[in-house]
Coordinates of all heavy atoms in Angstrom, one line a residue:
D1 N 0.8 -1.2 0.0 CA 0.0 0.0 0.0 C 0.9 1.2 0.0 O 2.1 1.2 0.0 CB -1.0 0.0 1.2 CG -0.3 0.0 2.5 OD1 0.8 0.5 2.7 OD2 -0.9 -0.5 3.5
A2 N 0.3 2.4 0.0 CA 1.1 3.7 -0.2 C 2.0 3.9 1.0 O 3.2 4.3 0.8 CB 0.1 4.9 -0.3
A3 N 1.6 3.5 2.2 CA 2.5 3.7 3.4 C 3.7 2.8 3.3 O 4.8 3.1 3.6 CB 1.7 3.5 4.7
Q4 N 3.4 1.5 3.0 CA 4.5 0.5 2.9 C 5.5 0.9 1.8 O 6.7 0.8 1.9 CB 3.9 -0.9 2.6 CG 3.1 -1.4 3.8 CD 2.4 -2.7 3.5 OE1 1.9 -2.8 2.3 NE2 2.3 -3.6 4.4
R5 N 4.9 1.4 0.6 CA 5.8 1.8 -0.5 C 6.7 3.0 0.0 O 7.9 3.0 -0.4 CB 5.0 2.1 -1.7 CG 5.8 2.7 -2.9 CD 6.9 1.7 -3.4 NE 7.8 2.4 -4.2 CZ 7.6 2.7 -5.5 NH1 6.4 2.3 -6.1 NH2 8.5 3.4 -6.2
K6 N 6.1 3.9 0.7 CA 6.9 5.0 1.2 C 8.0 4.5 2.2 O 9.2 5.0 2.1 CB 6.0 6.0 2.0 CG 6.7 7.2 2.5 CD 5.7 8.2 3.2 CE 6.5 9.4 3.7 NZ 5.5 10.4 4.4
T7 N 7.7 3.5 3.0 CA 8.7 3.0 3.9 C 9.8 2.3 3.1 O 11.0 2.5 3.4 CB 8.1 2.0 4.9 OG1 7.1 2.6 5.6 CG2 9.1 1.4 5.8
V8 N 9.5 1.6 2.1 CA 10.5 0.9 1.2 C 11.4 1.9 0.5 O 12.6 1.7 0.4 CB 9.8 0.0 0.2 CG1 10.7 -0.5 -0.9 CG2 9.1 -1.2 0.9
D9 N 10.8 3.0 0.0 CA 11.6 4.0 -0.6 C 12.6 4.7 0.4 O 13.7 4.9 0.0 CB 10.7 5.1 -1.2 CG 10.0 4.6 -2.5 OD1 10.4 3.6 -3.1 OD2 9.0 5.2 -2.9
V10 N 12.1 4.9 1.6 CA 13.0 5.5 2.6 C 14.2 4.5 2.9 O 15.3 4.8 3.0 CB 12.3 5.8 3.9 CG1 13.2 6.1 5.1 CG2 11.3 7.0 3.7
L11 N 13.8 3.2 3.1 CA 14.8 2.2 3.3 C 15.8 2.1 2.2 O 17.0 1.8 2.4 CB 14.1 0.8 3.5 CG 13.4 0.7 4.9 CD1 12.5 -0.5 4.9 CD2 14.4 0.6 6.0
G12 N 15.3 2.2 0.9 CA 16.2 2.1 -0.2 C 17.3 3.2 -0.2 O 18.4 2.9 -0.5
D13 N 16.9 4.4 0.2 CA 17.9 5.5 0.2 C 18.8 5.4 1.4 O 19.9 6.0 1.5 CB 17.2 6.9 0.2 CG 16.6 7.2 -1.1 OD1 17.2 6.7 -2.1 OD2 15.7 8.0 -1.2
L14 N 18.4 4.6 2.4 CA 19.3 4.3 3.6 C 20.3 3.1 3.2 O 21.4 3.2 3.6 CB 18.5 4.0 4.8 CG 17.7 5.1 5.4 CD1 16.7 4.6 6.5 CD2 18.6 6.2 6.0
I15 N 19.8 2.1 2.5 CA 20.6 1.0 2.2 C 21.6 1.2 1.1 O 22.7 0.9 1.1 CB 19.7 -0.2 1.9 CG1 18.9 -0.7 3.1 CG2 20.4 -1.4 1.3 CD1 17.8 -1.7 2.8
L16 N 21.1 1.9 0.0 CA 21.9 2.3 -1.1 C 21.7 3.8 -1.3 O 20.9 4.2 -2.2 CB 21.5 1.5 -2.4 CG 21.9 0.0 -2.4 CD1 21.3 -0.7 -3.6 CD2 23.4 -0.1 -2.4
P17 N 22.4 4.6 -0.5 CA 22.2 6.1 -0.6 C 22.8 6.7 -1.8 O 23.6 6.1 -2.5 CB 22.9 6.6 0.7 CG 23.9 5.6 1.0 CD 23.4 4.2 0.5
Q18 N 22.3 7.9 -2.0 CA 22.9 8.7 -3.1 C 24.3 9.0 -2.9 O 24.8 9.2 -1.8 CB 22.1 10.0 -3.2 CG 22.6 11.0 -4.2 CD 21.9 12.3 -4.2 OE1 20.9 12.5 -3.5 NE2 22.3 13.3 -5.0
D19 N 25.1 8.9 -4.0 CA 26.5 9.3 -3.9 C 26.8 10.1 -5.2 O 26.0 10.5 -6.0 CB 27.4 8.1 -3.8 CG 27.3 7.1 -4.9 OD1 26.8 7.5 -6.0 OD2 27.7 5.9 -4.7
A20 N 28.1 10.4 -5.4 CA 28.5 11.2 -6.6 C 28.2 10.5 -7.9 O 28.1 11.1 -8.9 CB 30.0 11.5 -6.5
A21 N 28.1 9.2 -7.9 CA 27.9 8.4 -9.1 C 26.4 8.2 -9.5 O 26.1 8.1 -10.7 CB 28.6 7.1 -9.0
S22 N 25.5 8.2 -8.5 CA 24.1 7.8 -8.8 C 23.2 8.2 -7.7 O 23.6 8.4 -6.6 CB 24.0 6.3 -9.1 OG 24.3 5.6 -7.9
P23 N 21.9 8.4 -8.0 CA 20.9 8.6 -6.9 C 20.8 7.4 -6.0 O 21.3 6.3 -6.3 CB 19.6 8.9 -7.7 CG 20.1 9.1 -9.1 CD 21.3 8.4 -9.3
G24 N 20.1 7.6 -4.9 CA 19.8 6.5 -4.1 C 18.8 5.5 -4.7 O 18.1 5.8 -5.6
A25 N 18.7 4.3 -4.1 CA 17.8 3.3 -4.6 C 16.4 3.7 -4.5 O 15.5 3.4 -5.4 CB 18.1 1.9 -3.9
G26 N 16.0 4.4 -3.4 CA 14.6 4.8 -3.3 C 14.2 5.8 -4.3 O 13.2 5.7 -5.0
A27 N 15.1 6.8 -4.6 CA 14.8 7.8 -5.6 C 14.8 7.3 -7.0 O 14.0 7.8 -7.8 CB 15.9 8.9 -5.5
L28 N 15.5 6.2 -7.2 CA 15.5 5.6 -8.6 C 14.2 4.7 -8.8 O 14.0 4.2 -9.9 CB 16.7 4.7 -8.8 CG 18.0 5.5 -9.2 CD1 19.2 4.6 -9.3 CD2 17.8 6.2 -10.6

């Protein structure tokens, strides 16, 4: 659902965060 997807996106940017080479996994 929308809340779970939001949580997954937050976790994505924590697990594979943005760096100089690419955006975070959540943002992608």
Side-chain angles (χ1 to χ4, degrees):
D1 61 28
Q4 290 171 327
R5 175 61 195 279
K6 183 178 180 181
T7 302
V8 168
D9 288 341
V10 169
L11 288 167
D13 285 336
L14 292 170
I15 293 169
L16 288 172
Q18 176 181 355
D19 60 17
S22 64
L28 278 175

